[in-house]
Every structure is written in structure tokens, then in C-alpha cells.
Amino acid sequence: MTAAASDNLGFIPAFPARHERRLPLLQLLKTLRENAIGTYTQDAFERDIIIYRLGFKPMILANHPDLIRHVMLDNAANYERDPVGKRLLEPGLGKGLLTSEGAEWKRQRRMMAPIFQPRRLAGFAAIMTDYSERLARKLAALPPTCHVDMAEQMMLLTLDVIARTMFGSDDGTDVSAVGEAMDRYQATVRPNIPDLIGLPRWVPRPAAAEGQRALAEMDAIINGLIQRRRERAELGNDLLGLLLAARDDETGAALDDREVRDQMATFFLAGHETTATTLAWTWYLLSHAPQVEAKLHAELDTVLGGRAATNADYDKLIYTRMVLEEAMRLYPPAHTTARQAMAEDRFGDIAIPPGTMVIISPYIMHRHRLYWQNPDAFDPENFAPEKAAQRRRYTYLPFGAGPRICIGQGFAMIEAVLILATLAQKLRARLVPGAKVAPVAKITLRPSPGLPMTIQPR
């Protein structure tokens, strides 16, 4: 469905057409590989629980907040990440926070938590603003007829930020090559048919040679950084230094090189691409909503008055956060998650046998007819403080929920707010007339084929 405008509902941004009934199996599998959110039927956005099978696998689409709480919090120990997701992510991310389970995940979480305390995050804010101001000057100097891909620009900007916050004291290292390798790897990450229909693990899965080469390049750079840092007298206060200095408060053990590598790869993906896609979609939405943009500019003029944004401004930029939260509602970067029941379970009258896959889709929940008014419209007022206070828990899940809620949530929100505030204070971005943009669900929910825009200095 292409973008549309309505006087009553506001701007209706692009989303894939919703089918009246489930697609035939072969078409469903093909669409799942190409764009997972293109498989959804209309009733997925209207019903709270849907039970079905995909090949040999029993599935439950969980749109009920209480079922989501049950799976992700109350009985989380019985639900592990789905094998398909782990097989897709582990080659690149290893056994980091995103892919580990059980006692190993708890140990990692204990060790990572001090790194993401607010006092640490405040120290990274100046880096976020500095790189944003550099980009603002570069974009404002472009000719008015020049087209720039804002999705690509946001990727490059967040790459600069995560590289500096992760490896800041290793000046001269071509960390951008890590981002390029990660991007090439992700382009090869697609679910295989044997995975999707639940065939046994011994059935061969095709491997992407390009993805393996990209991983090898990424590992060579990260492992080199780890070794050079270990040889220094001072580990540094960037994320790499903090990881190397981290100790388990129960055992006193440190992370070995492989564990450090896996956490760095995880932070790189989660701290780079997710924020970039949120910002890209925000520019797309603002381009079609001049009234929202005007209200955003008014807040920036009042709070900042032309000066650079700082960490202290975060709590004052209320409407800026509302705009970003609404962008994540419509286009959540982490669009789908799945959990597999390890033992027999029950939710009300519904039996959940072992091996059942429970699908939790923030993309669906954020547009569900039962929980949102005008759910397909762009309306930052959904996140006005008084309205947000009345919202039912587990209907808004941009960072997940339960014990495994994203540990970098605070980092991501500070980064997104400071970047948007810095850039929007200096410029406007307008989608090129006639450009067609659609959300495509890979590892994250990206605008495809890109986001061609013209820049107007304020």
C-alpha cells in the first residue's frame, strides 16, 4: 500500500498490502524470505490469538498483551529464542547477549549491565552531537536540486557514532570496514526453506559464500582491535575498554577474546542499524507531515535556541521523543521475534505443546485495531505523556520486553533524540516527488529501495 493522506486520520504511510486469507504454502515461503511483513493477513491486525501450522511446525501468533507477558516475562524460562533466528544470527553475532540462553545469558547480562548505566551513557552524548553537527553542515551545503539517500546517511552517521563509542581510542583504524562487512553479511541472511517448515537439522542448508567472506573480514578487524587493546597499559573508557575490564561480580571472571568479539558484533548491529532505520523512517514521516515537523521545530527552537544539544536536554525534548516513538510504532526496527516452548505450557484454554513457536510481532501489535486508534496513521500524540500513561502494557514493544528487553535501550534513545534534534534544528528533508518507498523486513525493517530526499537548510 502506498502512502496516502487523509484530513481525518493524518498521514497514512506506506505498508504492504494485507491479504484476506493465508497465502498458499509456496508463495508464503517465498514471501517470508523476501519480506516477512508482506505475509500478514488482515485478521492478524484484528484478532488477539491466531493458531496455525507452518509445514511441520505448530505456531501461535500472540497479539494478546497477557500472552506476550506470559511468554516474555512470567514463564520466560520455558521459552527460548527460536532455532531459525539463532541459526540466522549466530554466524555473525556468535553467542552474545542477543543469541545466548539460560545461565550463560544471565552471566553476560550481569557483566554488561554496568556498561550501560546512565552515567556511562552521558559520556557518549557529546560524540553523538559532534558527528551529527558535522553531517548537518555537510547536508546543508548541498545544492537544492541534489538528491541524497537519507537512509544511507543515517547508516553512515550511526556507524561513525558506534565506531567512536566502541573503539574511540583506536584512531586511524578503518572501523567503517566493520560496518561494510556487517552490511554485506546481513544481505545474505535469509531463512532457508528447511528452517521455515521445520525440517530436522541434519537436512542441509545452503551457505552464502559472500556472507562467510564478510564475516572473516569483520572478525579480522575486531580481533586485531582486541589484541592491540589488551597490549596497552590503559584499556580505555570506550565500549571495548569497558568490555575488557568487565568482571562477573559472582565469580570475578573476565570475558575471553571470543566473548568480547561476540558482544562487539552484537553491539555493532544493535547500536548501529536499529537507530539508523528509526531515524530514516522519521525523516520519511516528517517529509509528509509538515504540521508535525513545525511542532518539532518549535520545541527545538525553544529548548535549544540554536545551540548544540547536550545530554542534559534529553528530558526536555519531549515532543522530539514522541516523534521518534511514533516512528518506532509504525516501523519497529526489530519487527518480529519468536520463542519456542521447551516444555508443555498453557495460557487460559490454549494448550501450548513443546516445540510450539510463539510469534510476537511488534509490527502487528503497534498497528493492531484492538489497542490503537487509527493505527496506520502517523500521529506522535499517541505518545503524549498523559496518553502513554493510559496505554496497556505489552502493546508497544520497540525494544522487546521482560528480562531480555534490549540492554542498549537507553543508549539508542539518547542517540536518536540528539541526532534528530541536531539535524532538524538545521535542516528539512523532503522525499523526492514520485519516489516509492516501502518497508522491507530483513533483520531490521528498512526503507526500500532507499530514501531519496532533497535538503532544505532552515
Side-chain angles (χ1 to χ4, degrees), residues 411-428:
F411 183 103
M413 285 306 301
I414 290 171
E415 180 182 23
V417 166
L418 293 182
I419 288 176
L420 180 60
T422 302
L423 294 178
Q425 186 175 217
K426 304 287 181 63
L427 55 85
R428 295 180 175 89

Side-chain angles (χ1 to χ4, degrees), residues 12-195:
I12 308 294
F15 61 87
R18 295 164 188 166
H19 310 286
E20 291 299 319
R21 57 183 62 86
R22 285 190 66 197
L23 297 172
L25 181 59
L26 291 179
Q27 186 180 354
L28 176 65
L29 294 173
K30 180 177 183 293
T31 307
L32 275 172
R33 281 174 54 80
E34 294 175 351
N35 187 11
I37 64 169
T39 65
Y40 296 135
T41 54
Q42 181 59 43
D43 65 348
F45 299 85
E46 298 170 353
R47 294 169 56 188
D48 54 10
I49 296 174
I50 299 176
I51 301 172
Y52 61 101
R53 296 187 73 87
L54 179 60
F56 301 97
K57 300 171 73 168
M59 315 282 283
I60 296 176
L61 179 60
N63 295 334
H64 195 299
D66 293 343
L67 177 54
I68 294 174
R69 177 191 168 103
H70 178 81
V71 170
M72 302 192 81
L73 178 64
D74 296 337
N75 198 21
N78 185 51
Y79 292 89
E80 292 190 353
R81 283 192 173 273
D82 71 291
V84 176
K86 286 197 285 189
R87 277 199 287 275
L88 290 175
L89 293 174
E90 279 186 5
L93 304 185
K95 297 286 188 179
L97 266 178
L98 199 61
T99 51
S100 58
E101 298 284 357
E104 176 58 24
W105 173 82
K106 290 180 181 178
R107 180 183 72 89
Q108 292 184 26
R109 185 83 180 198
R110 280 197 310 270
M111 296 178 73
M112 299 303 107
I115 295 174
F116 290 93
Q117 290 176 349
R119 63 183 179 85
R120 298 281 192 194
L121 300 181
F124 296 137
I127 295 171
M128 299 167 182
T129 302
D130 177 48
Y131 279 107
S132 301
E133 290 191 313
R134 295 185 199 184
L135 179 60
R137 290 191 294 270
K138 171 187 164 186
L139 294 178
L142 292 174
T145 56
C146 181
H147 296 177
V148 60
D149 184 346
M150 282 298 276
E152 179 183 36
Q153 292 300 314
M154 294 303 99
M155 285 287 183
L156 294 172
L157 174 57
T158 57
L159 176 61
D160 283 339
V161 170
I162 199 65
R164 179 75 179 278
T165 55
M166 287 174 66
F167 311 112
S169 52
D170 285 280
D171 293 334
T173 300
D174 186 14
V175 179
S176 63
V178 179
E180 293 166 5
M182 179 69 80
D183 197 55
R184 282 163 41 218
Y185 164 69
Q186 287 187 65
T188 70
V189 176
R190 304 172 77 188
N192 296 306
I193 300 300
D195 285 330

Side-chain angles (χ1 to χ4, degrees), residues 340-361:
Q340 180 171 273
M342 307 310 294
E344 183 82 24
D345 196 13
R346 176 170 291 276
F347 177 76
D349 296 333
I350 300 173
I352 305 176
T356 299
M357 200 66 64
V358 181
I359 308 299
I360 298 167
S361 171

Side-chain angles (χ1 to χ4, degrees), residues 244-323:
L244 292 172
R247 296 292 183 272
D248 186 342
D249 58 12
E250 292 188 4
T251 67
L255 297 170
D256 62 29
D257 285 357
R258 181 66 194 185
E259 290 173 317
V260 172
R261 176 264 173 218
D262 291 348
Q263 300 302 346
M264 296 304 282
T266 300
F267 294 167
F268 213 90
L269 174 66
H272 156 45
E273 177 149 346
T274 54
T275 305
T277 54
T278 293
L279 287 162
W281 285 118
T282 301
W283 291 115
Y284 164 77
L285 294 165
L286 289 173
S287 177
H288 289 86
Q291 291 181 327
V292 171
E293 186 183 55
K295 191 169 180 179
L296 170 67
H297 288 160
E299 177 177 84
L300 298 177
D301 293 345
T302 299
V303 174
L304 302 179
R307 65 170 173 79
T310 70
N311 187 66
D313 296 313
Y314 177 80
D315 289 334
K316 303 171 190 173
L317 295 170
I318 297 170
Y319 193 72
T320 307
R321 292 203 310 274
M322 289 165 58
V323 170

Side-chain angles (χ1 to χ4, degrees), residues 201-224:
R201 290 194 176 192
W202 51 262
V203 175
R205 271 75 167 168
E210 174 57 27
Q212 297 303 312
R213 285 193 294 271
L215 282 180
E217 293 172 19
M218 182 179 74
D219 283 352
I221 297 171
I222 292 180
N223 290 333

Side-chain angles (χ1 to χ4, degrees), residues 2-13 288:
T2 57
S6 164
D7 291 339
N8 295 324
L9 298 182
F11 168 56
I12 308 294
H288 289 86

